[in-house]
Amino acid sequence: ILTILGNSAVLATAVKRSSLLKSPELLTVNLAVADIGMALSMYPLAIASAWNHAWLGGDASCVYYALMGFLFGVCSMMTLCAMAVIRFLITNSSKSNSNKITKNTVCILIAFIWLYSLLWAILPLLGWGYYGPEPFGISCTIAWSKFHNSSNGFSFILSMFLLCTVLPALTIVACYLGIAWKVHKAYQEIQNIDRIPNAAKLEKKLTLMAMLISVGFLTSWTPYAAASFWSIFNSSDSLQPVVTLLPCLFAKSSTAYNPFIYYIFSKTFRCEVKKLQCCCGWRVHYFSSDNSAEQPVSTMWSG
C-alpha cells in the first residue's frame, strides 16, 4: 500500500509538472515506475501465497513471479547507477556542459536500462540459469540452491552478481565519493558559509537525496544478497526459513522508501502531495507560504 500510494504520488506530480522536469528527473520517474510495477505484479501473489501457507499457481506462476522480480530489481539497480553517474557528471562539469544531458539522452538511457534488465530476466528462460521457489516456499526467485553443483548456474550467478550488482554498486559508491570530495573542496574555498550560492546549496541537497535513495536500496538488498550467495555454496537447509524470509521481506520494502525521501527533502513535492490530498477530499491545513512560487532551479525535486 505504501509503495503504490507513494510512487503514484511521485508519478502524478511528474505528470502535473512535466513541462518543468529536468532531464535527470526522468530517471526518478523511471525508478518510481519500476517500484510500482514490482508492487502490482508481484506483491498480491506473494500475499495470497502467505495466507495460503504455500505457493499458489504452480510452476508457471513461480517463473512469472521470479522473472518480474528480476526484471524490476535489475532495472532499479541500473537506474540508481545512472542517477549517480549523471549527478557526478553534473557536479564536475561546467554549466554549459551539464546542459548537454538532454531529455532525449536520458530517454535513450532509460530504454537501454529496460532492455538490459529484460535481457537478464529472460536468460534463465533460455537455459542459462534457473528460476525456482524460495526456501521458505511462498515466493520465487533465481534458484540459488542449484548453483553450487551446476556449472551453468554458477556461471550465470557469478556473471549476474558482477554485472548487475557489484559493478553498479561500486559505480554508485565511487560517484558519490567523488561528488562528496568535490563539494568538500568547493566549500573549503568559500570561507563564509553565508556567501554560498543558493544553486550550490540546492545541488548539495539534491546530491544528498539521491545518495540516500541509493543507500536505502543497497541496504535493503544486501541481507538478501548475502543469504542468496550463502546458498550458492551451501545447502539451503543450512539456513532456517526465517533467516531466508526476513531478508526477502526487507528487500521488498525498498520500493516504499523513495517517496518519503522526496517528501523530506523537496518542498515542491510536499506541496504537490498536499494538493493531491486536497483533491482526494482529505482535510489538510497548510500555510500559503508553502505554496510560494519557486525559482526554476528549485523546481527540481529529484536526483
Side-chain angles (χ1 to χ4, degrees):
I1 292 173
L2 289 176
T3 297
I4 293 174
L5 291 179
N7 287 286
S8 295
V10 173
L11 296 179
T13 304
V15 171
K16 186 176 180 181
R17 305 179 63 86
S18 57
S19 60
L20 299 174
L21 289 181
K22 309 299 180 183
S23 53
E25 294 177 300
L26 296 176
L27 290 170
T28 302
V29 176
N30 189 58
L31 189 60
V33 170
D35 287 344
I36 202 171
M38 181 177 289
L40 292 175
S41 64
M42 298 172 58
Y43 295 174
L45 187 55
I47 293 170
S49 297
W51 281 104
N52 188 55
H53 300 281
W55 181 252
L56 295 174
D59 293 339
S61 65
C62 185
V63 171
Y64 159 79
Y65 184 95
L67 188 147
M68 290 294 104
F70 199 17
L71 171 65
F72 291 120
V74 174
C75 180
S76 297
M77 185 64 168
M78 300 310 297
T79 301
L80 291 171
C81 182
M83 288 171 62
V85 171
I86 288 180
R87 287 238 58 83
F88 178 80
L89 294 176
I90 291 176
T91 304
N92 290 272
S93 301
S94 62
K95 186 175 181 180
S96 58
N97 289 331
S98 63
N99 289 334
K100 292 181 180 179
I101 304 177
T102 63
K103 286 187 177 183
N104 287 336
T105 302
V106 176
C107 287
I108 293 173
L109 179 59
I110 291 173
F112 172 79
I113 289 172
W114 281 103
L115 289 175
Y116 184 82
S117 304
L118 181 61
L119 172 64
W120 280 101
I122 64 175
L123 283 176
L125 303 181
L126 301 178
W128 192 29
Y130 313 94
Y131 286 134
E134 299 270 16
F136 50 86
I138 57 172
S139 72
C140 295
T141 183
I142 297 171
W144 310 100
S145 58
K146 294 184 179 181
F147 294 157
H148 67 279
N149 57 4
S150 169
S151 58
N152 181 350
F154 181 78
S155 63
F156 172 77
I157 194 61
L158 185 62
S159 301
M160 186 273 292
F161 258 111
L162 288 175
L163 298 178
C164 299
T165 305
V166 177
L167 287 180
L170 290 177
T171 301
I172 290 171
V173 172
C175 286
Y176 287 123
L177 286 177
I179 293 171
W181 176 254
K182 178 74 174 181
V183 171
H184 173 70
K185 296 297 290 184
Y187 273 61
Q188 274 189 332
E189 296 174 359
I190 305 175
Q191 299 298 326
N192 186 358
I193 194 170
D194 294 330
R195 296 175 54 193
I196 298 176
N198 288 333
K201 294 179 181 178
L202 176 63
E203 192 71 24
K204 182 180 179 181
K205 180 185 290 187
L206 293 174
T207 299
L208 179 60
M209 183 171 64
M211 184 169 61
L212 287 176
I213 293 170
S214 299
V215 169
F217 183 87
L218 295 176
T219 302
S220 60
W221 279 93
T222 297
Y224 181 77
S228 301
F229 204 73
W230 171 270
S231 65
I232 295 174
F233 303 101
N234 301 275
S235 172
S236 58
D237 296 334
S238 61
L239 295 175
Q240 294 294 324
V242 68
V243 177
T244 57
L245 173 61
L246 291 180
C248 183
L249 295 178
F250 192 42
K252 287 180 171 63
S253 70
S254 66
T255 58
Y257 298 156
N258 297 341
F260 292 98
I261 297 176
Y262 303 147
Y263 191 86
I264 292 171
F265 280 87
S266 174
K267 180 180 177 181
T268 302
F269 184 61
R270 286 197 300 271
C271 292
E272 293 298 333
V273 169
K274 290 173 182 177
K275 292 177 182 177
L276 287 173
Q277 290 173 336
C278 291
C279 291
C280 293
W282 298 348
R283 295 184 62 187
V284 180
H285 303 283
Y286 56 98
F287 297 101
S288 59
S289 59
D290 288 339
N291 292 317
S292 58
E294 299 181 11
Q295 296 296 326
V297 69
S298 64
T299 60
M300 298 177 64
W301 49 267
S302 72

